[in-house]
Amino acid sequence: MEPKIRFDNVTKRYGAHTVLDGLDLSIDPGELVAIIGPSGSGKTTVLRVLMTLENIQEGVIYIDGQPFTHVKKGDTLVPASQAHIRKLRSKIGMVFQSFNLFPHMSTLQNCIEAPVQSLGLSKDEAVERARELLNMVGMGDKEDHYPSQLSGGQQQRVAIARALAMRPEILLFDEPTSALDPEMVGEVLQVIRSLASEHSYTMLLVTHQMGFAREVADRVLFFEAGKFVEQGKPDEFFSNPQNPRTQAFLNKVLESN
Ligand code: ADP
């Protein structure tokens, strides 16, 4: 089976600081991978380079077996054009820690803007699809509300509907509950849980919620200093971590929960 996403020896640097260090990673279609690890280890950077919010300095990222950051020219790969990147990036949706809704647009407008502008949907089609998605995330009765009139949990549910409105095949979640008050975490996790149960999406989830990662992920990756130190199926990974650094991290995190 062709991986949905493949990082081949990807290096990302900020100046002299190497954040991703020759990263190799393959993710299967429909797989939900949770990325955990200490702060500053490069977890968010994995998502940001996939979303092409950041350039990489070395290596190649493939989507569906096609070079994403590069294109084939004869026998070599050369950096891709913006048009090529945009085309493949349309398969990817991202949900941010801080929601990032358009503040001057209502819930409904947030969910129809990009489908109309970028996918070329008619307004009626976009509205119909947005309403379905807002109902799915339990926000159907708030379509005229502006982000400032919504709680953090509600804003994040709208942000998920907005990402889905672009019909992505890959969903990236960057600590989607870490900016929320504790009582709102559950409602957002519930939406992600229902998406995870469908298996039509390939999902990458950066999270500090170990219990949730264990429950929904097909695979857990422990990230440290720009590399994967250990990975495994959630039950094995959490009950019997092999690497001393994974053990130390899990002990620390689970103690503070
Ligand atoms: P994590 O998600 O694991 O907390 P990040 O991927 O956000 O880690 O960051 C990894 C490292 O990259 C950190 O040391 C961070 O300071 C650095 N970094 C992230 N973004 C930038 C940037 N725009 N400029 C310089 N350094 C950055």
Side-chain angles (χ1 to χ4, degrees):
M1 182 170 39
E2 188 86 69
K4 189 75 187 170
I5 304 167
R6 185 158 74 86
F7 282 63
D8 179 15
N9 202 19
V10 169
T11 292
K12 166 70 194 168
R13 292 187 206 93
Y14 291 108
H17 181 187
T18 301
V19 177
L20 300 182
D21 188 9
L23 178 67
D24 289 321
L25 170 65
S26 283
I27 305 202
D28 288 335
E31 195 180 19
L32 196 168
V33 173
I35 304 180
I36 66 168
S39 188
S41 57
K43 304 181 297 299
T44 293
T45 304
V46 172
L47 305 189
R48 291 181 61 84
V49 299
L50 251 181
M51 201 62 198
T52 64
L53 296 170
E54 304 286 350
N55 295 325
I56 56 176
Q57 277 70 47
E58 286 169 36
V60 182
I61 300 175
Y62 295 84
I63 304 283
D64 289 327
Q66 278 193 63
F68 175 32
T69 48
H70 294 68
V71 285
K72 284 203 181 94
K73 195 171 179 190
D75 286 342
T76 57
L77 289 172
V78 296
S81 65
Q82 280 307 313
H84 173 88
I85 289 174
R86 257 200 310 277
K87 187 161 154 252
L88 285 185
R89 190 178 51 205
S90 67
K91 297 186 181 194
I92 310 177
M94 184 157 172
V95 175
F96 297 87
Q97 192 173 340
S98 50
F99 331 131
N100 293 13
L101 293 176
F102 304 120
H104 58 291
M105 290 185 191
S106 70
T107 292
L108 188 68
Q109 287 166 331
N110 261 282
C111 295
I112 64 174
E113 173 73 11
V116 170
Q117 298 300 331
S118 305
L119 294 184
L121 261 58
S122 73
K123 186 158 178 218
D124 286 351
E125 278 174 300
V127 166
E128 190 184 331
R129 168 98 178 134
R131 287 195 170 130
E132 267 171 38
L133 291 168
L134 287 170
N135 280 329
M136 192 188 87
V137 301
M139 292 296 292
D141 58 343
K142 300 273 191 301
E143 67 172 53
D144 294 327
H145 283 55
Y146 284 79
S148 61
Q149 299 170 304
L150 301 174
S151 71
Q154 291 173 330
Q155 289 185 60
Q156 192 61 304
R157 287 188 279 144
V158 173
I160 293 172
R162 182 179 63 170
L164 295 175
M166 291 297 284
R167 305 179 184 197
E169 298 168 19
I170 297 169
L171 284 172
L172 310 177
F173 290 90
D174 184 15
E175 299 186 26
T177 58
S178 63
L180 299 177
D181 292 334
E183 72 271 21
M184 288 164 193
V185 169
E187 65 196 55
V188 171
L189 293 186
Q190 186 50 37
V191 171
I192 300 173
R193 189 179 281 123
S194 69
L195 292 174
S197 69
E198 283 182 28
H199 286 284
S200 54
Y201 297 111
T202 303
M203 293 165 67
L204 266 178
L205 169 72
V206 172
T207 186
H208 291 295
Q209 302 265 338
M210 299 300 142
F212 187 64
R214 184 171 187 157
E215 176 198 328
V216 299
D218 298 307
R219 178 159 50 125
V220 180
L221 301 175
F222 175 67
F223 212 67
E224 198 185 61
K227 283 197 179 281
F228 293 110
V229 173
E230 182 165 356
Q231 58 174 306
K233 288 195 181 305
D235 281 342
E236 287 159 33
F237 178 91
F238 285 107
S239 50
N240 193 16
Q242 301 295 310
N243 189 295
R245 295 205 293 273
T246 317
Q247 292 164 358
F249 174 79
L250 289 177
N251 283 339
K252 210 163 114 193
V253 174
L254 297 174
E255 247 168 43
S256 64
N257 275 351

